[in-house]
Amino acid sequence: MNSNWKVAIAACIGAVAGFGIASFVHGGPAAGTPSPRGQNAAPEKQQAAALPPGSEVVYKVMLGAAPIKGDPEAKVTIVEFSDFQCPYCGRVMDALRQVERTYGKDVRIAFKHNPLPMHPDAPYAARAAIAAGNQGKFWEMHDKLFEANVSGARDGLKPDKIEKMAKDIGLDIAKFNADTKSSEATDIITSDQAQARSLASYGTPAFYVNGAKIGGAVPFETFKTVIDAQLKRANQAVANGASRKDLYENLTKDGQLAPPAAPAQAPPPAQVRAVDPGDGPAIGPKHAKVTIVEWSDFQCPFCSRVEPTLKQIQETYKDDVRIVWRNEPLPFHPNALPAAKAAMAAAKQGKFWQMHERMFAHQPELSDAKYEEWAREIGVDVARWKADKESPAIAEAIQRDNNYGQQVGANGTPSFFINGKYLAGALPFDSFKTIIDEQIAKANELTKKGVRPEKLYESIVAENVKAAGSAPAAKVEVGNAPVLGPKNAPVTIVLWSDFQCPYCGKVEPTLQQLRDEYKGKIRIAWKNQPLSFHPNAMPAAEAAMAADEQGKFWEFHDALFKRQNELGPALYDEVAKQVGLDMNRFHASLEGHKHAAQIKADMAAGSALGADGTPTFFVNGKKLVGALPIDSFKQVIDAELAAQVAKK
């Protein structure tokens, strides 16, 4: 699955801009060829001109455990990705109610969560809806939350207001409060958001009508056009013998799992990343000349298809290549996460690759029964394996792999970083060979220069990142960003960062060391890029910008990174008092989301420049990505300083 498309900025899709944004994110209908959809594809083509752009394509959108209202045997299923604080999601509710009144039993609606990072109250609202669903009251809570959204009440979605909603609809409050904090709620939201990303649905609301996409708060007439077309498909399928019970699955089974890839282009500099291999399962020597970090999914057919190529690489390069596995179970593959847990449990007993081989050799058979059968075959302690498979530690390790993959740009499977150079998809051996041969030559040169084996990977990746940074400098505006250092410094580093990102925390001492070593010669400008899978990132950004309003951004910034694992309202208040803020003014800024627009503008500017992962730096416009060693920065800074001296 080639996944070169970038993670776009998450933003509400308005009624007017919706279709245009959706087409941009998808690469437009002409960007690829839709998957075959059966015998009725040709007649539907005649209606394409009357349909909203993009809705001619059918996507395979898995329902999973999403709350659903409507007849289980409805002819049309609408899957909605939504955000309880998004104004456009609230605005579209009237159109959806008209859909329900007009089509009755012919339509059912499924709800998926996609709380956007610029909506600080959305994650808790999503958790509250899930908690209400645990007591059979999802849709009652859903309606209450959107009523508060539409009313425009500033604090309408704060926890105390939502708890009152819970009481109003008759929930057990103790259970409700416990369930809002549960890992189950986190897992549901994370899974829904990952599915949205895989479908390139970065904004809300987004709808899939029997798999046909509609983006934005569109009027009833737009829904009607698509629903009527889908009713014809459904009626034809039923006439051909399809079961009403399995109608949705039948109509979407041949749908696309993701938007078509854009036409091939030369990879931009961002395609070289300083990727941490981690300490996961690896095959090949620890200090090999070439390290391939692979993000993969045991149920992904393209991951299976590339396995013979990886075996050929191992046979061809023997001691020169190491392959490191990192997990990225995609949400629309129901067996992917259980398989990943089973494989990582085998890894605890040194048998990952034996389990890995069986899973890919028998991919259509993935199931709990088979995992246990294979565990016995490879000789693990089955009782211990079963306990490990269900352990929180393994679930958290898989989630860390997944989050880190998104952070460095591994947004689909399989994705590879060959000494930091990005390659995506089930590509042939020659595609890998070209890069591997180049990297072996670099390794040989560095070894001759005295680089020790244990430093080889770090040194080669630093060189690759530096080479990528030799592209023409981007024009990066500092604007009204918080800045540290003299205004006339010869080198400006503009940083896109996230207060909850562990790699952003890891690079902070490096930035401090650079300020010390280049005192008076560099300045650092901060731009916000709170990532959607870090629930505390957006509120932390708002708090830091509220501190900036009172001239205390950097003091606040330092305190948040020192206590990164404690992010939350209590910490923000504590730090605000410590740095001497006017607390009334600070709280007014937070409650009014005074700086949300600036943060959103930072995110959009970063996305436009390719700063879609954190941390991303522009050193006088030269791009560097990741928690790099200090030498990677110094090489670029020294080159910039030398160039300016030469001009004098």
Side-chain angles (χ1 to χ4, degrees):
M1 175 171 152
N2 196 325
S3 192
N4 288 335
W5 25 275
K6 294 181 178 178
V7 177
I9 179 72
C12 296
I13 301 174
V16 176
F19 296 139
I21 294 173
S23 295
F24 172 76
V25 171
H26 286 205
T33 304
S35 298
R37 300 191 323 190
Q39 296 300 316
N40 61 336
E44 283 199 0
K45 192 77 171 179
Q46 296 169 7
Q47 297 186 34
L51 297 173
S55 65
E56 309 92 337
V57 180
V58 169
Y59 294 94
K60 185 175 183 178
V61 183
M62 307 294 288
L63 296 178
I68 299 176
K69 65 173 173 177
D71 192 321
E73 296 188 353
K75 294 177 182 177
V76 174
T77 298
I78 300 174
V79 182
E80 174 186 7
F81 288 87
S82 193
D83 167 320
F84 288 111
Q85 198 177 357
C86 162
Y88 301 102
C89 300
R91 191 176 298 169
V92 81
M93 291 301 298
D94 285 342
L96 291 176
R97 292 188 186 100
Q98 191 172 352
V99 166
E100 293 179 80
R101 290 194 301 269
T102 303
Y103 291 96
K105 289 187 175 183
D106 280 340
V107 169
R108 61 177 180 161
I109 298 174
F111 189 95
K112 299 260 185 179
H113 300 275
N114 192 13
L116 303 181
M118 73 285 292
H119 294 151
D121 298 330
Y124 181 77
R127 289 172 170 275
I130 292 166
N134 290 344
Q135 299 185 47
K137 297 287 184 79
F138 174 86
W139 292 104
E140 290 90 333
M141 180 59 81
H142 164 281
D143 291 349
K144 290 276 188 185
L145 294 170
F146 274 125
E147 284 169 15
N149 172 319
V150 173
S151 74
R154 190 173 71 178
D155 297 328
L157 294 178
K158 295 297 182 187
D160 59 330
K161 298 293 194 299
I162 292 178
E163 184 170 319
K164 183 179 184 305
M165 298 176 197
K167 290 175 181 174
D168 289 346
I169 62 176
L171 297 184
D172 176 330
I173 297 301
K175 176 174 170 51
F176 169 78
N177 286 330
D179 286 351
T180 61
K181 301 179 180 71
S182 70
S183 60
E184 176 197 12
T186 301
D187 290 346
I188 289 170
I189 295 167
T190 300
S191 176
D192 284 356
Q193 289 191 306
Q195 187 179 19
R197 282 193 299 273
S198 73
L199 293 161
S201 283
Y202 304 112
T204 57
F207 305 91
Y208 292 84
V209 183
N210 281 358
K213 185 174 183 181
I214 299 176
V218 298
F220 168 75
E221 288 72 23
T222 301
F223 282 104
K224 185 176 188 305
T225 300
V226 180
I227 291 169
D228 288 347
Q230 293 303 319
L231 277 173
K232 290 181 181 179
R233 287 185 66 222
N235 288 332
Q236 184 62 53
V238 171
N240 290 341
S243 161
R244 285 288 296 269
K245 180 183 175 184
D246 302 318
L247 189 55
Y248 177 72
E249 287 72 17
N250 181 282
L251 291 170
T252 58
K253 64 183 174 63
D254 294 324
Q256 295 182 185
L257 294 173
Q265 298 175 350
Q271 298 299 307
V272 179
R273 303 284 175 104
V275 173
D276 180 357
D279 55 2
I283 193 165
K286 185 175 182 180
H287 301 308
K289 295 174 182 177
V290 176
T291 295
I292 300 175
V293 185
E294 172 190 11
W295 269 267
S296 192
D297 166 320
F298 285 108
Q299 197 177 353
C300 162
F302 302 97
C303 300
S304 177
R305 193 176 298 169
V306 82
E307 279 297 304
T309 299
L310 297 177
K311 286 187 174 69
Q312 188 177 354
I313 288 169
Q314 293 169 46
E315 291 165 1
T316 304
Y317 292 98
K318 296 183 174 67
D319 295 335
D320 285 337
V321 170
R322 174 174 73 137
I323 298 174
V324 181
W325 172 278
R326 300 198 78 155
N327 293 285
E328 189 169 2
L330 301 179
F332 47 82
H333 290 154
N335 295 318
L337 181 56
K341 290 179 177 180
M344 296 306 290
K348 298 278 281 184
Q349 300 184 47
K351 296 294 181 85
F352 173 85
W353 294 103
Q354 293 91 325
M355 181 65 85
H356 163 282
E357 185 176 351
R358 282 163 174 76
M359 287 182 172
F360 278 125
H362 304 281
Q363 196 178 52
E365 303 171 47
L366 294 178
S367 66
D368 287 338
K370 281 295 182 182
Y371 308 147
E372 184 169 341
E373 177 186 322
W374 296 331
R376 295 182 189 280
E377 285 179 5
I378 63 179
V380 300
D381 177 331
V382 174
R384 180 183 159 198
W385 171 81
K386 284 183 176 179
D388 286 337
K389 181 165 64 77
E390 302 305 325
S391 71
I394 279 182
E396 288 166 9
I398 292 169
Q399 188 61 55
R400 281 197 303 272
D401 274 359
N402 197 39
N403 288 351
Y404 183 49
Q406 293 164 24
Q407 211 157 302
V408 298
N411 302 313
T413 59
S415 285
F416 305 92
F417 289 88
I418 306 172
N419 281 0
K421 291 199 163 189
Y422 181 59
L423 203 61
L427 299 171
F429 173 74
D430 286 346
S431 298
F432 289 87
K433 185 178 187 300
T434 301
I435 301 176
I436 292 171
D437 289 345
E438 168 200 84
Q439 294 302 304
I440 288 175
K442 281 191 177 183
N444 290 337
E445 289 175 13
L446 289 172
T447 301
K448 287 177 184 176
K449 292 177 182 177
V451 174
R452 299 192 307 275
E454 64 271 20
K455 292 288 185 181
L456 198 53
Y457 177 76
E458 180 183 321
S459 299
I460 294 175
V461 170
E463 284 207 355
N464 288 337
V465 170
K466 179 186 174 185
S470 65
K475 184 177 180 181
V476 183
E477 300 289 344
V478 172
N480 58 351
V483 175
L484 197 62
K487 187 174 182 179
N488 61 349
V491 174
T492 296
I493 301 173
V494 183
L495 159 66
W496 267 266
S497 192
D498 166 320
F499 285 107
Q500 197 177 352
C501 161
Y503 303 96
C504 300
K506 192 181 293 184
V507 83
E508 280 295 311
T510 301
L511 296 177
Q512 179 60 56
Q513 191 175 344
L514 289 172
R515 293 200 297 268
D516 293 340
E517 290 192 26
Y518 293 93
K519 194 168 184 178
K521 296 180 180 178
I522 66 170
R523 65 173 180 158
I524 297 175
W526 171 279
K527 298 277 190 177
N528 294 285
Q529 186 64 286
L531 302 179
S532 61
F533 49 85
H534 289 155
N536 295 318
M538 184 65 177
E542 288 197 270
M545 296 310 293
D548 181 58
E549 183 184 331
Q550 299 186 45
K552 297 285 187 174
F553 174 84
W554 293 103
E555 295 92 329
F556 206 93
H557 159 282
D558 292 348
L560 293 189
F561 274 123
K562 282 177 185 173
R563 299 171 65 181
Q564 197 176 39
N565 294 330
E566 302 174 46
L567 295 179
L571 177 63
Y572 310 146
D573 268 12
E574 180 184 335
V575 173
K577 290 172 185 173
Q578 286 174 357
V579 301
L581 298 186
D582 176 329
M583 295 304 292
N584 289 333
R585 185 178 170 192
F586 177 71
H587 287 148
S589 180
L590 293 183
E591 290 166 11
H593 304 298
K594 184 174 179 181
H595 299 282
Q598 182 180 343
I599 294 168
K600 182 179 173 182
D602 280 357
M603 295 167 71
S607 181
L609 290 164
D612 45 26
T614 56
T616 296
F617 308 86
F618 289 87
V619 183
N620 279 3
K622 302 291 182 68
K623 186 174 180 182
L624 296 175
V625 180
L628 300 168
I630 193 167
D631 285 348
S632 297
F633 291 95
K634 290 175 74 172
Q635 287 168 350
V636 182
I637 293 170
D638 289 346
E640 287 298 305
L641 292 173
Q644 292 188 35
V645 169
K647 287 179 184 176
K648 292 180 179 179

